[in-house]
PDB file of all heavy atoms in Angstrom:
ATOM      1  N   GLY A   1      26.452  10.730   5.629  1.00  0.00           N
ATOM      2  CA  GLY A   1      25.093  10.790   6.122  1.00  0.00           C
ATOM      3  C   GLY A   1      24.143  11.426   5.130  1.00  0.00           C
ATOM      4  O   GLY A   1      24.489  11.673   3.969  1.00  0.00           O
ATOM      5  N   VAL A   2      22.926  11.720   5.621  1.00  0.00           N
ATOM      6  CA  VAL A   2      21.893  12.359   4.814  1.00  0.00           C
ATOM      7  C   VAL A   2      21.239  13.453   5.647  1.00  0.00           C
ATOM      8  O   VAL A   2      21.315  13.444   6.889  1.00  0.00           O
ATOM      9  CB  VAL A   2      20.829  11.337   4.348  1.00  0.00           C
ATOM     10  CG1 VAL A   2      21.441  10.285   3.452  1.00  0.00           C
ATOM     11  CG2 VAL A   2      20.132  10.685   5.546  1.00  0.00           C
ATOM     12  N   PHE A   3      20.615  14.404   4.968  1.00  0.00           N
ATOM     13  CA  PHE A   3      19.817  15.413   5.628  1.00  0.00           C
ATOM     14  C   PHE A   3      18.361  14.985   5.563  1.00  0.00           C
ATOM     15  O   PHE A   3      17.808  14.764   4.480  1.00  0.00           O
ATOM     16  CB  PHE A   3      19.992  16.777   4.971  1.00  0.00           C
ATOM     17  CG  PHE A   3      21.199  17.526   5.457  1.00  0.00           C
ATOM     18  CD1 PHE A   3      22.302  17.700   4.633  1.00  0.00           C
ATOM     19  CD2 PHE A   3      21.230  18.054   6.741  1.00  0.00           C
ATOM     20  CE1 PHE A   3      23.404  18.389   5.080  1.00  0.00           C
ATOM     21  CE2 PHE A   3      22.334  18.756   7.199  1.00  0.00           C
ATOM     22  CZ  PHE A   3      23.430  18.919   6.371  1.00  0.00           C
ATOM     23  N   LEU A   4      17.733  14.859   6.747  1.00  0.00           N
ATOM     24  CA  LEU A   4      16.313  14.542   6.830  1.00  0.00           C
ATOM     25  C   LEU A   4      15.506  15.827   6.975  1.00  0.00           C
ATOM     26  O   LEU A   4      15.991  16.829   7.522  1.00  0.00           O
ATOM     27  CB  LEU A   4      16.037  13.633   8.025  1.00  0.00           C
ATOM     28  CG  LEU A   4      16.621  12.221   7.978  1.00  0.00           C
ATOM     29  CD1 LEU A   4      16.368  11.523   9.303  1.00  0.00           C
ATOM     30  CD2 LEU A   4      15.999  11.430   6.838  1.00  0.00           C
ATOM     31  N   VAL A   5      14.292  15.785   6.482  1.00  0.00           N
ATOM     32  CA  VAL A   5      13.367  16.904   6.667  1.00  0.00           C
ATOM     33  C   VAL A   5      12.701  16.730   8.024  1.00  0.00           C
ATOM     34  O   VAL A   5      11.982  15.739   8.262  1.00  0.00           O
ATOM     35  CB  VAL A   5      12.319  16.941   5.541  1.00  0.00           C
ATOM     36  CG1 VAL A   5      11.313  18.066   5.798  1.00  0.00           C
ATOM     37  CG2 VAL A   5      12.992  17.127   4.190  1.00  0.00           C
ATOM     38  N   ALA A   6      12.973  17.684   8.954  1.00  0.00           N
ATOM     39  CA  ALA A   6      12.435  17.600  10.322  1.00  0.00           C
ATOM     40  C   ALA A   6      11.558  18.815  10.599  1.00  0.00           C
ATOM     41  O   ALA A   6      11.751  19.895  10.020  1.00  0.00           O
ATOM     42  CB  ALA A   6      13.580  17.518  11.334  1.00  0.00           C
ATOM     43  N   ASP A   7      10.603  18.632  11.484  1.00  0.00           N
ATOM     44  CA  ASP A   7       9.716  19.733  11.879  1.00  0.00           C
ATOM     45  C   ASP A   7      10.362  20.529  13.002  1.00  0.00           C
ATOM     46  O   ASP A   7      10.736  19.978  14.051  1.00  0.00           O
ATOM     47  CB  ASP A   7       8.364  19.189  12.349  1.00  0.00           C
ATOM     48  CG  ASP A   7       7.572  18.577  11.208  1.00  0.00           C
ATOM     49  OD1 ASP A   7       7.709  19.088  10.074  1.00  0.00           O
ATOM     50  OD2 ASP A   7       6.847  17.585  11.434  1.00  0.00           O
ATOM     51  N   GLY A   8      10.535  21.858  12.797  1.00  0.00           N
ATOM     52  CA  GLY A   8      11.059  22.743  13.831  1.00  0.00           C
ATOM     53  C   GLY A   8       9.939  23.439  14.572  1.00  0.00           C
ATOM     54  O   GLY A   8       8.751  23.150  14.365  1.00  0.00           O
ATOM     55  N   GLU A   9      10.306  24.399  15.459  1.00  0.00           N
ATOM     56  CA  GLU A   9       9.307  25.123  16.224  1.00  0.00           C
ATOM     57  C   GLU A   9       8.435  25.985  15.321  1.00  0.00           C
ATOM     58  O   GLU A   9       7.226  26.090  15.537  1.00  0.00           O
ATOM     59  CB  GLU A   9      10.005  25.994  17.278  1.00  0.00           C
ATOM     60  CG  GLU A   9      10.745  25.185  18.337  1.00  0.00           C
ATOM     61  CD  GLU A   9      11.409  26.084  19.366  1.00  0.00           C
ATOM     62  OE1 GLU A   9      11.288  27.316  19.211  1.00  0.00           O
ATOM     63  OE2 GLU A   9      12.023  25.558  20.306  1.00  0.00           O
ATOM     64  N   GLU A  10       9.081  26.659  14.360  1.00  0.00           N
ATOM     65  CA  GLU A  10       8.326  27.550  13.488  1.00  0.00           C
ATOM     66  C   GLU A  10       8.158  26.995  12.079  1.00  0.00           C
ATOM     67  O   GLU A  10       7.141  27.227  11.438  1.00  0.00           O
ATOM     68  CB  GLU A  10       9.015  28.919  13.424  1.00  0.00           C
ATOM     69  CG  GLU A  10       9.077  29.620  14.770  1.00  0.00           C
ATOM     70  CD  GLU A  10       9.717  30.983  14.651  1.00  0.00           C
ATOM     71  OE1 GLU A  10      10.103  31.344  13.516  1.00  0.00           O
ATOM     72  OE2 GLU A  10       9.820  31.698  15.669  1.00  0.00           O
ATOM     73  N   ARG A  11       9.186  26.273  11.587  1.00  0.00           N
ATOM     74  CA  ARG A  11       9.114  25.759  10.210  1.00  0.00           C
ATOM     75  C   ARG A  11      10.024  24.546  10.112  1.00  0.00           C
ATOM     76  O   ARG A  11      10.697  24.163  11.076  1.00  0.00           O
ATOM     77  CB  ARG A  11       9.533  26.826   9.203  1.00  0.00           C
ATOM     78  CG  ARG A  11      10.942  27.346   9.364  1.00  0.00           C
ATOM     79  CD  ARG A  11      11.257  28.395   8.308  1.00  0.00           C
ATOM     80  NE  ARG A  11      11.037  27.900   6.964  1.00  0.00           N
ATOM     81  CZ  ARG A  11       9.991  28.227   6.207  1.00  0.00           C
ATOM     82  NH1 ARG A  11       9.075  29.064   6.681  1.00  0.00           N
ATOM     83  NH2 ARG A  11       9.850  27.736   4.992  1.00  0.00           N
ATOM     84  N   LYS A  12      10.094  23.938   8.947  1.00  0.00           N
ATOM     85  CA  LYS A  12      10.881  22.717   8.754  1.00  0.00           C
ATOM     86  C   LYS A  12      12.370  23.030   8.786  1.00  0.00           C
ATOM     87  O   LYS A  12      12.798  24.112   8.361  1.00  0.00           O
ATOM     88  CB  LYS A  12      10.500  22.042   7.444  1.00  0.00           C
ATOM     89  CG  LYS A  12       9.054  21.560   7.418  1.00  0.00           C
ATOM     90  CD  LYS A  12       8.757  20.766   6.159  1.00  0.00           C
ATOM     91  CE  LYS A  12       7.288  20.349   6.149  1.00  0.00           C
ATOM     92  NZ  LYS A  12       6.943  19.514   7.317  1.00  0.00           N
ATOM     93  N   GLN A  13      13.144  22.056   9.250  1.00  0.00           N
ATOM     94  CA  GLN A  13      14.585  22.190   9.353  1.00  0.00           C
ATOM     95  C   GLN A  13      15.267  20.959   8.756  1.00  0.00           C
ATOM     96  O   GLN A  13      14.657  19.900   8.604  1.00  0.00           O
ATOM     97  CB  GLN A  13      15.011  22.337  10.824  1.00  0.00           C
ATOM     98  CG  GLN A  13      14.470  23.575  11.516  1.00  0.00           C
ATOM     99  CD  GLN A  13      14.882  23.619  12.973  1.00  0.00           C
ATOM    100  OE1 GLN A  13      15.305  22.614  13.537  1.00  0.00           O
ATOM    101  NE2 GLN A  13      14.756  24.793  13.588  1.00  0.00           N
ATOM    102  N   ALA A  14      16.552  21.132   8.427  1.00  0.00           N
ATOM    103  CA  ALA A  14      17.371  20.027   7.930  1.00  0.00           C
ATOM    104  C   ALA A  14      18.136  19.414   9.086  1.00  0.00           C
ATOM    105  O   ALA A  14      18.801  20.133   9.837  1.00  0.00           O
ATOM    106  CB  ALA A  14      18.342  20.512   6.870  1.00  0.00           C
ATOM    107  N   ARG A  15      18.006  18.096   9.267  1.00  0.00           N
ATOM    108  CA  ARG A  15      18.709  17.406  10.337  1.00  0.00           C
ATOM    109  C   ARG A  15      19.690  16.402   9.726  1.00  0.00           C
ATOM    110  O   ARG A  15      19.288  15.489   9.016  1.00  0.00           O
ATOM    111  CB  ARG A  15      17.717  16.657  11.234  1.00  0.00           C
ATOM    112  CG  ARG A  15      16.840  17.566  12.064  1.00  0.00           C
ATOM    113  CD  ARG A  15      17.661  18.400  13.027  1.00  0.00           C
ATOM    114  NE  ARG A  15      16.825  19.297  13.856  1.00  0.00           N
ATOM    115  CZ  ARG A  15      17.310  20.237  14.613  1.00  0.00           C
ATOM    116  NH1 ARG A  15      18.617  20.441  14.660  1.00  0.00           N
ATOM    117  NH2 ARG A  15      16.503  20.988  15.339  1.00  0.00           N
ATOM    118  N   PHE A  16      20.982  16.608  10.007  1.00  0.00           N
ATOM    119  CA  PHE A  16      21.994  15.698   9.478  1.00  0.00           C
ATOM    120  C   PHE A  16      22.024  14.417  10.303  1.00  0.00           C
ATOM    121  O   PHE A  16      22.098  14.473  11.546  1.00  0.00           O
ATOM    122  CB  PHE A  16      23.378  16.349   9.495  1.00  0.00           C
ATOM    123  CG  PHE A  16      24.456  15.466   8.947  1.00  0.00           C
ATOM    124  CD1 PHE A  16      24.597  15.269   7.578  1.00  0.00           C
ATOM    125  CD2 PHE A  16      25.332  14.804   9.800  1.00  0.00           C
ATOM    126  CE1 PHE A  16      25.578  14.458   7.068  1.00  0.00           C
ATOM    127  CE2 PHE A  16      26.326  13.986   9.301  1.00  0.00           C
ATOM    128  CZ  PHE A  16      26.456  13.802   7.930  1.00  0.00           C
ATOM    129  N   THR A  17      21.954  13.270   9.613  1.00  0.00           N
ATOM    130  CA  THR A  17      21.938  11.970  10.285  1.00  0.00           C
ATOM    131  C   THR A  17      23.005  11.069   9.689  1.00  0.00           C
ATOM    132  O   THR A  17      22.940  10.741   8.493  1.00  0.00           O
ATOM    133  CB  THR A  17      20.563  11.289  10.129  1.00  0.00           C
ATOM    134  OG1 THR A  17      19.546  12.169  10.621  1.00  0.00           O
ATOM    135  CG2 THR A  17      20.516   9.966  10.873  1.00  0.00           C
ATOM    136  N   PRO A  18      24.017  10.655  10.461  1.00  0.00           N
ATOM    137  CA  PRO A  18      25.013   9.706   9.948  1.00  0.00           C
ATOM    138  C   PRO A  18      24.359   8.363   9.626  1.00  0.00           C
ATOM    139  O   PRO A  18      23.454   7.914  10.338  1.00  0.00           O
ATOM    140  CB  PRO A  18      26.013   9.570  11.103  1.00  0.00           C
ATOM    141  CG  PRO A  18      25.797  10.796  11.940  1.00  0.00           C
ATOM    142  CD  PRO A  18      24.346  11.126  11.817  1.00  0.00           C
ATOM    143  N   VAL A  19      24.818   7.722   8.549  1.00  0.00           N
ATOM    144  CA  VAL A  19      24.221   6.460   8.117  1.00  0.00           C
ATOM    145  C   VAL A  19      25.321   5.474   7.745  1.00  0.00           C
ATOM    146  O   VAL A  19      26.454   5.845   7.446  1.00  0.00           O
ATOM    147  CB  VAL A  19      23.284   6.658   6.914  1.00  0.00           C
ATOM    148  CG1 VAL A  19      22.100   7.542   7.286  1.00  0.00           C
ATOM    149  CG2 VAL A  19      24.040   7.234   5.719  1.00  0.00           C
ATOM    150  N   THR A  20      24.941   4.203   7.784  1.00  0.00           N
ATOM    151  CA  THR A  20      25.777   3.120   7.267  1.00  0.00           C
ATOM    152  C   THR A  20      25.108   2.589   6.010  1.00  0.00           C
ATOM    153  O   THR A  20      23.934   2.181   6.052  1.00  0.00           O
ATOM    154  CB  THR A  20      25.936   1.986   8.296  1.00  0.00           C
ATOM    155  OG1 THR A  20      26.531   2.506   9.483  1.00  0.00           O
ATOM    156  CG2 THR A  20      26.814   0.871   7.739  1.00  0.00           C
ATOM    157  N   VAL A  21      25.834   2.623   4.885  1.00  0.00           N
ATOM    158  CA  VAL A  21      25.235   2.244   3.611  1.00  0.00           C
ATOM    159  C   VAL A  21      25.610   0.812   3.253  1.00  0.00           C
ATOM    160  O   VAL A  21      26.572   0.241   3.777  1.00  0.00           O
ATOM    161  CB  VAL A  21      25.679   3.207   2.491  1.00  0.00           C
ATOM    162  CG1 VAL A  21      25.244   4.617   2.809  1.00  0.00           C
ATOM    163  CG2 VAL A  21      27.170   3.122   2.256  1.00  0.00           C
ATOM    164  N   GLY A  22      24.827   0.228   2.342  1.00  0.00           N
ATOM    165  CA  GLY A  22      25.080  -1.131   1.872  1.00  0.00           C
ATOM    166  C   GLY A  22      25.143  -1.195   0.368  1.00  0.00           C
ATOM    167  O   GLY A  22      25.965  -0.541  -0.271  1.00  0.00           O
ATOM    168  N   VAL A  23      24.218  -1.917  -0.222  1.00  0.00           N
ATOM    169  CA  VAL A  23      24.222  -2.171  -1.662  1.00  0.00           C
ATOM    170  C   VAL A  23      23.855  -0.905  -2.429  1.00  0.00           C
ATOM    171  O   VAL A  23      22.939  -0.165  -2.048  1.00  0.00           O
ATOM    172  CB  VAL A  23      23.231  -3.306  -1.999  1.00  0.00           C
ATOM    173  CG1 VAL A  23      23.137  -3.515  -3.509  1.00  0.00           C
ATOM    174  CG2 VAL A  23      23.661  -4.590  -1.309  1.00  0.00           C
ATOM    175  N   ARG A  24      24.592  -0.659  -3.517  1.00  0.00           N
ATOM    176  CA  ARG A  24      24.261   0.426  -4.444  1.00  0.00           C
ATOM    177  C   ARG A  24      23.746  -0.179  -5.740  1.00  0.00           C
ATOM    178  O   ARG A  24      24.340  -1.118  -6.264  1.00  0.00           O
ATOM    179  CB  ARG A  24      25.491   1.293  -4.740  1.00  0.00           C
ATOM    180  CG  ARG A  24      26.024   2.056  -3.527  1.00  0.00           C
ATOM    181  CD  ARG A  24      27.297   2.773  -3.866  1.00  0.00           C
ATOM    182  NE  ARG A  24      27.853   3.493  -2.724  1.00  0.00           N
ATOM    183  CZ  ARG A  24      27.689   4.781  -2.497  1.00  0.00           C
ATOM    184  NH1 ARG A  24      27.004   5.513  -3.359  1.00  0.00           N
ATOM    185  NH2 ARG A  24      28.217   5.358  -1.447  1.00  0.00           N
ATOM    186  N   ASP A  25      22.666   0.383  -6.263  1.00  0.00           N
ATOM    187  CA  ASP A  25      22.059  -0.183  -7.463  1.00  0.00           C
ATOM    188  C   ASP A  25      21.379   0.904  -8.277  1.00  0.00           C
ATOM    189  O   ASP A  25      20.328   1.414  -7.884  1.00  0.00           O
ATOM    190  CB  ASP A  25      21.055  -1.267  -7.078  1.00  0.00           C
ATOM    191  CG  ASP A  25      20.425  -1.938  -8.294  1.00  0.00           C
ATOM    192  OD1 ASP A  25      20.957  -1.769  -9.400  1.00  0.00           O
ATOM    193  OD2 ASP A  25      19.411  -2.634  -8.132  1.00  0.00           O
ATOM    194  N   GLU A  26      22.014   1.254  -9.411  1.00  0.00           N
ATOM    195  CA  GLU A  26      21.392   2.138 -10.404  1.00  0.00           C
ATOM    196  C   GLU A  26      20.793   3.391  -9.779  1.00  0.00           C
ATOM    197  O   GLU A  26      19.608   3.696  -9.952  1.00  0.00           O
ATOM    198  CB  GLU A  26      20.318   1.384 -11.195  1.00  0.00           C
ATOM    199  CG  GLU A  26      20.817   0.163 -11.940  1.00  0.00           C
ATOM    200  CD  GLU A  26      21.769   0.540 -13.058  1.00  0.00           C
ATOM    201  OE1 GLU A  26      21.669   1.685 -13.543  1.00  0.00           O
ATOM    202  OE2 GLU A  26      22.600  -0.300 -13.446  1.00  0.00           O
ATOM    203  N   GLY A  27      21.595   4.166  -9.054  1.00  0.00           N
ATOM    204  CA  GLY A  27      21.133   5.441  -8.518  1.00  0.00           C
ATOM    205  C   GLY A  27      20.498   5.356  -7.153  1.00  0.00           C
ATOM    206  O   GLY A  27      20.061   6.384  -6.615  1.00  0.00           O
ATOM    207  N   TRP A  28      20.433   4.151  -6.566  1.00  0.00           N
ATOM    208  CA  TRP A  28      19.861   3.988  -5.230  1.00  0.00           C
ATOM    209  C   TRP A  28      20.891   3.315  -4.330  1.00  0.00           C
ATOM    210  O   TRP A  28      21.730   2.547  -4.781  1.00  0.00           O
ATOM    211  CB  TRP A  28      18.575   3.158  -5.271  1.00  0.00           C
ATOM    212  CG  TRP A  28      17.444   3.873  -5.936  1.00  0.00           C
ATOM    213  CD1 TRP A  28      17.206   3.960  -7.264  1.00  0.00           C
ATOM    214  CD2 TRP A  28      16.431   4.626  -5.282  1.00  0.00           C
ATOM    215  NE1 TRP A  28      16.091   4.722  -7.506  1.00  0.00           N
ATOM    216  CE2 TRP A  28      15.593   5.147  -6.301  1.00  0.00           C
ATOM    217  CE3 TRP A  28      16.137   4.921  -3.955  1.00  0.00           C
ATOM    218  CZ2 TRP A  28      14.486   5.941  -6.011  1.00  0.00           C
ATOM    219  CZ3 TRP A  28      15.022   5.702  -3.670  1.00  0.00           C
ATOM    220  CH2 TRP A  28      14.217   6.207  -4.690  1.00  0.00           C
ATOM    221  N   VAL A  29      20.796   3.591  -3.034  1.00  0.00           N
ATOM    222  CA  VAL A  29      21.739   3.014  -2.084  1.00  0.00           C
ATOM    223  C   VAL A  29      20.968   2.550  -0.853  1.00  0.00           C
ATOM    224  O   VAL A  29      20.020   3.201  -0.403  1.00  0.00           O
ATOM    225  CB  VAL A  29      22.838   4.024  -1.695  1.00  0.00           C
ATOM    226  CG1 VAL A  29      22.239   5.266  -1.061  1.00  0.00           C
ATOM    227  CG2 VAL A  29      23.857   3.394  -0.762  1.00  0.00           C
ATOM    228  N   GLU A  30      21.365   1.398  -0.336  1.00  0.00           N
ATOM    229  CA  GLU A  30      20.717   0.834   0.843  1.00  0.00           C
ATOM    230  C   GLU A  30      21.204   1.548   2.115  1.00  0.00           C
ATOM    231  O   GLU A  30      22.396   1.788   2.274  1.00  0.00           O
ATOM    232  CB  GLU A  30      21.043  -0.658   0.943  1.00  0.00           C
ATOM    233  CG  GLU A  30      20.519  -1.317   2.205  1.00  0.00           C
ATOM    234  CD  GLU A  30      21.112  -2.691   2.426  1.00  0.00           C
ATOM    235  OE1 GLU A  30      22.065  -3.055   1.696  1.00  0.00           O
ATOM    236  OE2 GLU A  30      20.639  -3.387   3.341  1.00  0.00           O
ATOM    237  N   ILE A  31      20.281   1.862   3.005  1.00  0.00           N
ATOM    238  CA  ILE A  31      20.603   2.409   4.325  1.00  0.00           C
ATOM    239  C   ILE A  31      20.433   1.281   5.337  1.00  0.00           C
ATOM    240  O   ILE A  31      19.313   0.863   5.647  1.00  0.00           O
ATOM    241  CB  ILE A  31      19.688   3.597   4.687  1.00  0.00           C
ATOM    242  CG1 ILE A  31      19.796   4.701   3.624  1.00  0.00           C
ATOM    243  CG2 ILE A  31      20.048   4.135   6.055  1.00  0.00           C
ATOM    244  CD1 ILE A  31      21.183   5.293   3.495  1.00  0.00           C
ATOM    245  N   ARG A  32      21.563   0.780   5.843  1.00  0.00           N
ATOM    246  CA  ARG A  32      21.494  -0.326   6.804  1.00  0.00           C
ATOM    247  C   ARG A  32      21.229   0.168   8.221  1.00  0.00           C
ATOM    248  O   ARG A  32      20.466  -0.445   8.970  1.00  0.00           O
ATOM    249  CB  ARG A  32      22.795  -1.123   6.750  1.00  0.00           C
ATOM    250  CG  ARG A  32      22.979  -1.873   5.433  1.00  0.00           C
ATOM    251  CD  ARG A  32      24.200  -2.773   5.471  1.00  0.00           C
ATOM    252  NE  ARG A  32      24.289  -3.552   4.244  1.00  0.00           N
ATOM    253  CZ  ARG A  32      25.289  -4.396   3.973  1.00  0.00           C
ATOM    254  NH1 ARG A  32      26.286  -4.549   4.850  1.00  0.00           N
ATOM    255  NH2 ARG A  32      25.301  -5.062   2.842  1.00  0.00           N
ATOM    256  N   GLU A  33      21.863   1.248   8.593  1.00  0.00           N
ATOM    257  CA  GLU A  33      21.676   1.826   9.924  1.00  0.00           C
ATOM    258  C   GLU A  33      21.735   3.347   9.798  1.00  0.00           C
ATOM    259  O   GLU A  33      22.493   3.865   8.985  1.00  0.00           O
ATOM    260  CB  GLU A  33      22.766   1.343  10.895  1.00  0.00           C
ATOM    261  CG  GLU A  33      22.705  -0.133  11.215  1.00  0.00           C
ATOM    262  CD  GLU A  33      23.810  -0.547  12.172  1.00  0.00           C
ATOM    263  OE1 GLU A  33      24.663   0.327  12.505  1.00  0.00           O
ATOM    264  OE2 GLU A  33      23.848  -1.709  12.568  1.00  0.00           O
ATOM    265  N   PRO A  34      20.936   4.068  10.607  1.00  0.00           N
ATOM    266  CA  PRO A  34      19.865   3.620  11.510  1.00  0.00           C
ATOM    267  C   PRO A  34      18.579   3.341  10.739  1.00  0.00           C
ATOM    268  O   PRO A  34      18.548   3.440   9.510  1.00  0.00           O
ATOM    269  CB  PRO A  34      19.711   4.811  12.455  1.00  0.00           C
ATOM    270  CG  PRO A  34      20.033   5.989  11.576  1.00  0.00           C
ATOM    271  CD  PRO A  34      21.130   5.527  10.648  1.00  0.00           C
ATOM    272  N   ASP A  35      17.516   3.046  11.473  1.00  0.00           N
ATOM    273  CA  ASP A  35      16.212   2.766  10.860  1.00  0.00           C
ATOM    274  C   ASP A  35      15.514   4.103  10.579  1.00  0.00           C
ATOM    275  O   ASP A  35      14.793   4.638  11.419  1.00  0.00           O
ATOM    276  CB  ASP A  35      15.381   1.894  11.804  1.00  0.00           C
ATOM    277  CG  ASP A  35      14.102   1.423  11.141  1.00  0.00           C
ATOM    278  OD1 ASP A  35      13.919   1.721   9.947  1.00  0.00           O
ATOM    279  OD2 ASP A  35      13.287   0.778  11.808  1.00  0.00           O
ATOM    280  N   LEU A  36      15.763   4.647   9.396  1.00  0.00           N
ATOM    281  CA  LEU A  36      15.245   5.971   9.046  1.00  0.00           C
ATOM    282  C   LEU A  36      13.811   5.892   8.555  1.00  0.00           C
ATOM    283  O   LEU A  36      13.331   4.854   8.098  1.00  0.00           O
ATOM    284  CB  LEU A  36      16.128   6.606   7.959  1.00  0.00           C
ATOM    285  CG  LEU A  36      17.597   6.842   8.304  1.00  0.00           C
ATOM    286  CD1 LEU A  36      18.302   7.502   7.133  1.00  0.00           C
ATOM    287  CD2 LEU A  36      17.728   7.693   9.559  1.00  0.00           C
TER     288      LEU A  36
END
């Protein structure tokens, strides 16, 4: 998964989100699911 930047009650928080990846290309990777 990835950590998303989320807004908390007082300040920003890290939210871990499981993902399904696809094509990898030169340092980038496709996120197929979910719709981030």
Side-chain angles (χ1 to χ4, degrees):
V2 297
F3 276 109
L4 294 174
V5 177
D7 292 327
E9 295 181 359
E10 298 182 0
R11 60 180 305 104
K12 296 186 182 300
Q13 297 178 344
R15 291 298 180 190
F16 181 76
T17 304
V19 297
T20 301
V21 299
V23 176
R24 295 175 181 262
D25 182 15
E26 301 294 335
W28 291 83
V29 60
E30 175 193 10
I31 303 298
R32 292 186 176 177
E33 293 180 356
D35 188 4
L36 299 181

